[in-house]
Amino acid sequence: MCDICVMNAVKDKMLSRRQFIKRAAIAGTAVAAGSTAVAPVAMAAGHGTIEDMTHTLHADFPTYFGESQFSMEQKFNYAEHSFNLFEYRVNEHTGTHIDAPLHFSADGTSVDELPIANLFAPLCVIDIARRAAADSDAQVTPDDIKAWIAKHGDIPAHACVAMHSGWANKVDTDEYRGFDGKAQHYPGFHVDAATMLMEETQAASIAVDTLSLDHGPSGDFATHYAWLPSGRFGIENIANLDKVPAAGATLVIGAPKHKGGTGGPARIFAMV
């Protein structure tokens, strides 16, 4: 091939690549504009939007123990080093995060061992927000699960069954933890509901928009001890359950993958 032909071919490839990058950048800007975005063409059929189900993690994010569990230290900055880099320290169970089976068992599955099939989950949202508004210690019960099934059909295999209590809207207030000096107060799953899901469905995970799978006053962590040792996992501090339907969405769970971990902060999306 002649030199000029080679040069023209390379030029055409560069122009084509630039156009591709430009189109990708435009698409990325559209997604970044809000937590809800138009779904990419490659998304599974039947879904049209994406919802971010993750709270932004920061040093003052509320925690079960009431103390900060996240910090960042800048090691390099652009002015001095021509790039930025932070080192961060985090408790595994901070912010929107995973509870792996190992968290409440002697030798359960660690977070890096979670089956990937369970990280793409049909989302089943059980709404107890009205009840929780009147009773901060409200719990998801077997009757709530039965009512959901009666209206929406069977809970699918690998599903994530999520409690929508309305607590996500309280995340920047003291009411989110609800500590009264003796106990915490926020909704959760009753152990009987967790047991029903274990015995009668193939759900792989449960999620709550509060600090714990168990409701705040729990002193025995009955739901944790029933659910997690069974090989299933939990999600705590999930966001935006009020923006997704009770049935039909698919949860994409970006679980961390550090060896031997009991859980960790996760980036979670819902395809609606």
Side-chain angles (χ1 to χ4, degrees), residues 60 62 167-179 211:
D60 296 322
W167 237 247
N169 294 327
K170 306 174 187 288
V171 71
D172 292 322
T173 71
D174 290 339
E175 194 175 356
Y176 190 74
R177 187 166 179 258
F179 186 62
L211 281 167

Side-chain angles (χ1 to χ4, degrees), residues 177-185 216-217:
R177 187 166 179 258
F179 186 62
D180 64 5
K182 295 182 179 180
Q184 300 176 51
H185 297 278

Side-chain angles (χ1 to χ4, degrees), residues 22 28-29 44-45 54 62 75 80 102 111 116 134 153 161 183 185 196 206 217 222 226 243-244 246 253 262-263 271:
K22 183 178 180 180
T29 300
T54 315
K75 295 293 186 177
E80 295 180 59
L102 183 59
V111 70
I116 194 168
V161 180
H185 297 278
M196 178 183 174
I206 56 175
K243 297 181 181 179
V244 296
I253 305 163
T262 71
M271 299 189 298

Side-chain angles (χ1 to χ4, degrees), residues 146-175:
K146 292 175 184 176
W148 190 97
I149 293 173
K151 185 173 183 179
H152 302 287
D154 291 341
I155 292 173
H158 307 290
C160 176
V161 180
M163 174 194 76
H164 168 45
S165 69
W167 237 247
N169 294 327
K170 306 174 187 288
V171 71
D172 292 322
T173 71
D174 290 339
E175 194 175 356

Side-chain angles (χ1 to χ4, degrees), residues 7-64:
M7 292 173 65
N8 285 335
V10 172
K11 181 180 179 181
D12 289 342
K13 287 183 179 179
M14 291 177 67
L15 288 173
S16 177
R17 185 171 184 274
R18 287 172 184 166
Q19 290 171 350
F20 172 80
I21 293 172
K22 183 178 180 180
R23 287 195 296 268
I26 293 172
T29 300
V31 171
S35 61
T36 302
V38 175
V41 175
M43 182 176 287
H47 298 98
T49 60
I50 306 171
E51 188 67 47
D52 191 352
M53 310 298 288
T54 315
H55 286 293
T56 299
L57 184 56
H58 55 87
D60 296 322
F61 195 92
T63 68
Y64 183 85

